């Protein structure tokens, strides 16, 4: 469909301890830290971007870590699970890897004929690995701790837990161009985007749950992707035309953004693919030092004083052996 959303751009969540978050996503899950920056609206809080080798939209999971933050409470009006696709050959590998890192998991489970395992990050955020050949593998990080053939590929999709289906379903299908599939158990699946960017959006209706309360371990928002700035402006108008309040276009340095709340309470963003993560660092240097946008550069000293120091597994990361090889 012309001007339909082309898939997920990034997903942003809240964490507590920055080093623990970094260690989990880089050392255990094998995502690459592609940008180490600050929350542009709170420059004393980190913003970590994890993704594939170059931060391809559709692979980007990002965090605002607030040291000492308590855990969020699950409920309605939030993204309750984030799923990555992994080639089916990686099933035994990941079951073994999670077990060796002492991470409890559920599964293998089945949903919409896909096999998956579910577990939680150190702050209690639910993650899933769906064992499926994804249409496109992005650019896998070759120097990471996970063998390339088993590496997380890209987002398979998300689960939204909501109180009622209809208002959100209408927005997704009528406005955003998602396709709806038949319900499967507790879930109704929507497909966002097409081809390489396609992502599953599963809605789980739980009318008796209280509203979610966001803190560490909660997804803060989900960003959908569009290819360029002119399409982005069309989307701003299209969302405004539905009657939902939508923000001005915000410069996020690596992409441009608009934000709006969908009727079920989940914060949505629409972000542009360009300019991307190579705008201020070379491919080899991505994520290795604190980057600030030009307008925050004058405050660099202050940010560096306020941010807790973290150490990124660097060159040595490639030499961290798999747990089974250490014994
Ligand atoms: Zn965002």
């Amino acid at each position: 469909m012309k001007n339909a959303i082309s898939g997920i751009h990034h997903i942003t969540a809240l964490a507590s301890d920055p080093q623990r978050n970094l260690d989990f996503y880089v050392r255990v899950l094998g995502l690459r830290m592609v940008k180490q920056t600050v929350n542009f609206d709170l420059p004393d809080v980190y913003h970590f971007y994890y993704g594939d080798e170059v931060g391809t939209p559709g692979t980007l999971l990002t965090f605002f870590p607030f040291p000492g933050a308590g855990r969020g409470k699950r409920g309605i009006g939030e993204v309750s699970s984030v799923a990555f696709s992994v080639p089916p050959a990686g099933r035994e590998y990941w079951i073994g890897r999670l077990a060796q890192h002492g991470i409890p998991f559920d599964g293998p489970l089945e949903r919409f004929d896909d096999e998956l395992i579910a577990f939680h990050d150190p702050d209690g955020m639910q993650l899933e690995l769906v064992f499926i050949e994804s249409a496109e593998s992005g650019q896998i990080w070759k120097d990471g701790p996970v063998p390339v053939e088993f590496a997380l590929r890209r987002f398979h999709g998300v689960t939204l837990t909501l109180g009622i289906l209809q208002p959100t379903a209408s927005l997704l299908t009528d406005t955003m161009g998602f396709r709806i599939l038949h319900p499967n158990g507790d879930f109704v699946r929507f497909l966002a985007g097409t081809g390489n960017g396609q992502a599953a959006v599963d809605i789980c209706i739980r009318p008796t749950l209280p509203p979610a309360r966001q803190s560490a371990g909660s997804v803060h928002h989900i960003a959908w992707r569009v290819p360029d700035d002119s399409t982005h402006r069309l989307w701003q108008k299209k969302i405004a035309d539905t009657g939902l309040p939508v923000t001005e276009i915000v410069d996020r340095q690596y992409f441009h953004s608009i934000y709006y709340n969908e009727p079920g309470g989940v914060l949505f963003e629409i972000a542009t693919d360009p300019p991307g993560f190579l705008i201020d660092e070379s491919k080899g240097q991505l994520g290795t030092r604190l980057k600030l946008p030009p307008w925050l550069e004058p405050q660099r000293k202050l940010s560096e004083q306020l941010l807790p120091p973290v150490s990124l597994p660097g060159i040595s990361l490639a030499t961290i052996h798999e747990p089974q090889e250490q014994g």
Side-chain angles (χ1 to χ4, degrees):
M1 183 188 297
K2 192 176 185 295
N3 288 332
I5 289 293
S6 44
I8 296 173
H9 185 285
H10 66 269
I11 295 169
T12 295
L14 306 176
S16 55
D17 185 73
Q19 185 69 54
R20 189 176 64 167
N21 176 263
L22 190 164
D23 285 342
F24 181 79
Y25 284 98
V26 177
R27 288 178 185 268
V28 179
L29 292 192
L31 299 178
R32 185 181 188 191
M33 167 85 93
V34 292
K35 198 63 68 181
Q36 201 183 135
T37 184
V38 295
N39 181 325
F40 294 174
D41 304 318
L42 296 169
D44 59 341
V45 174
Y46 277 118
H47 193 179
F48 292 157
Y49 286 81
Y50 307 110
D52 69 1
E53 189 156 48
V54 293
T56 307
T59 71
L60 290 162
L61 181 58
T62 96
F63 287 89
F64 300 134
F66 291 84
R71 283 192 175 193
K73 290 247 187 331
R74 293 289 82 83
I76 58 174
E78 67 173 350
V79 174
S80 50
S81 188
V82 172
F84 285 92
S85 59
V86 173
R91 182 177 173 273
E92 296 313 311
Y93 172 83
W94 279 101
I95 287 173
R97 186 171 178 86
L98 293 178
Q100 277 148 356
H101 283 275
I103 299 162
F105 60 89
D106 287 333
L109 312 165
E110 226 182 76
R111 190 184 311 144
F112 290 96
D113 296 331
D114 299 332
E115 201 176 30
L116 60 101
I117 55 176
F119 53 100
H120 296 89
D121 87 352
D123 289 302
M125 179 172 134
Q126 181 163 315
L127 296 165
E128 294 167 350
L129 300 183
V130 182
F131 301 105
I132 185 173
E133 294 293 354
S134 56
E136 186 254 335
S137 298
Q139 300 194 49
I140 299 166
W141 184 31
K142 292 168 208 68
D143 296 327
V146 172
V148 165
E149 66 267 37
F150 304 140
L152 274 52
R153 292 311 200 244
R154 55 186 300 110
F155 290 127
H156 177 266
V158 289
T159 302
L160 273 50
T161 298
L162 302 176
I164 49 169
L165 177 66
Q166 203 45 53
T168 300
S170 297
L171 176 72
L172 297 183
T173 55
D174 301 346
T175 305
M176 296 174 67
F178 296 7
R179 282 145 296 139
I180 186 167
L181 299 188
H182 292 297
N184 179 300
D186 291 344
F187 296 91
V188 183
R189 174 162 289 182
F190 298 79
L191 292 175
T194 52
N196 291 346
Q198 187 168 285
V201 179
D202 292 342
I203 294 187
C204 179
I205 299 301
R206 290 274 183 274
T208 57
L209 281 186
R213 219 179 62 208
Q214 287 199 342
S215 191
S218 302
V219 172
H220 186 262
H221 64 265
I222 177 164
W224 311 102
R225 65 189 285 197
V226 294
D228 53 51
D229 287 317
S230 60
T231 312
H232 199 229
R233 285 189 290 274
L234 292 177
W235 275 100
Q236 188 190 31
K237 182 175 183 318
K238 201 164 171 175
I239 300 300
D241 286 347
T242 68
L244 291 173
V246 57
T247 67
E248 291 304 304
I249 293 170
V250 184
D251 183 0
R252 293 306 188 196
Q253 176 80 345
Y254 310 105
F255 44 87
H256 302 136
S257 298
I258 55 171
Y259 301 86
Y260 55 103
N261 276 297
E262 61 84 21
V266 180
L267 180 60
F268 280 5
E269 173 182 349
I270 296 177
T272 55
D273 283 4
F277 292 86
L278 297 170
I279 186 179
D280 60 359
E281 279 179 306
S282 69
K283 185 169 159 183
Q285 295 293 314
L286 282 179
T288 55
R289 58 183 293 270
L290 184 71
K291 299 302 290 184
L292 298 175
W295 63 93
L296 291 178
E297 203 49 70
Q299 302 172 47
R300 170 177 287 274
K301 277 229 149 43
L302 184 63
S303 282
E304 286 178 344
Q305 279 166 12
L306 294 172
L307 293 165
V310 290
S311 69
L312 180 70
I315 307 295
S316 61
L317 193 63
T319 64
I320 294 171
H321 295 291
E322 294 309 307
Q324 64 266 34
E325 292 167 4
Q326 286 174 344

